[in-house]
Amino acid sequence: MELRAMGAGDAESLWRWNHDPEVMRFMVEGYPQTPETVTKFLTERPRNTYGDTLFGVESRKDGVLIGLISLHGAEPETGIAELDIYLGEKDYWGQGYATDAMRTACRYGFDRMRLHRIWLTVVVGNEAAHHIYQKIGFVDEGCLRQASRRDGQWRDVHLMGLLDGELR
């Protein structure tokens, strides 16, 4: 697995993932986008900066873009960033790619960005993601009650955090 910058050439994959109900079932439900809108987003998106990084997750064995991961909302004064991840290529699920991508992004955050804390949220019921986050050291810090709505159902969201030095 390798993390790399994303560009306009990744738009088709991103569009396809965002319109796959199985991939998106634990994500915030957005409005449908056209492939052209996704291409425009990736083309016009500012380059990665300290406060907002977006990486493609790519399989080393075959060079396929399989997902994305982001550290955003970071400020040098606080040393805190939020992490988001999802793998859109279902053929790569359950093979350790998400765990590897999480570790790599967190190492990047702590070592290169000099972050002190990385946090994330995970919808209650997304046990696979929750397990991965716990496995690499994230700790449950609270519950945001009925903070996610999907298919007309409100779900609680776990708030999780990882401090520098806790990555496993």
Side-chain angles (χ1 to χ4, degrees):
M1 183 285 320
E2 189 166 333
L3 299 184
R4 63 160 177 80
M6 292 187 71
D10 299 319
E12 187 279 325
S13 294
L14 186 57
W15 180 85
R16 186 170 33 84
W17 302 336
N18 288 342
H19 291 82
D20 184 325
E22 191 175 3
V23 171
M24 299 305 291
R25 74 182 171 143
F26 292 110
M27 307 293 282
V28 173
E29 193 167 21
Y31 296 102
Q33 302 293 318
T34 64
E36 294 79 18
T37 303
V38 176
T39 301
K40 183 177 178 180
F41 163 75
L42 289 172
T43 302
E44 295 178 359
R45 184 183 182 285
R47 67 181 183 88
N48 284 341
T49 64
Y50 181 87
D52 185 24
T53 61
L54 175 65
F55 297 108
V57 179
E58 190 173 273
S59 166
R60 275 196 187 143
K61 73 177 181 181
D62 55 16
V64 172
L65 179 70
I66 62 173
L68 59 86
I69 193 163
S70 160
L71 285 165
H72 56 94
E75 294 180 9
E77 297 83 6
T78 63
I80 299 171
E82 181 179 3
L83 187 144
D84 290 315
I85 180 173
Y86 76 97
L87 298 187
E89 293 299 332
K90 294 181 279 191
D91 291 344
Y92 293 81
W93 289 2
Q95 298 180 39
Y97 286 103
T99 302
D100 192 14
M102 289 288 297
R103 281 193 181 112
T104 302
C106 289
R107 273 192 213 102
Y108 179 87
F110 292 132
D111 296 346
R112 299 279 305 273
M113 296 172 68
R114 296 177 309 283
L115 294 173
H116 175 68
R117 172 182 162 74
I118 298 172
W119 68 278
L120 56 80
T121 59
V122 59
V123 175
V124 170
N126 190 350
E127 297 306 321
H130 193 247
H131 173 73
I132 290 167
Y133 305 154
Q134 287 178 317
K135 180 168 66 172
I136 68 165
F138 277 84
V139 174
D140 284 305
E141 296 181 333
C143 179
L144 305 172
R145 298 177 308 135
Q146 297 185 6
S148 177
R149 185 175 181 181
R150 185 78 185 174
D151 300 326
Q153 300 252 332
W154 287 100
R155 294 188 177 160
D156 292 349
V157 174
H158 293 287
L159 176 62
M160 302 182 78
L162 180 70
L163 301 178
D164 189 11
E166 294 179 339
L167 183 62
R168 293 184 239 150

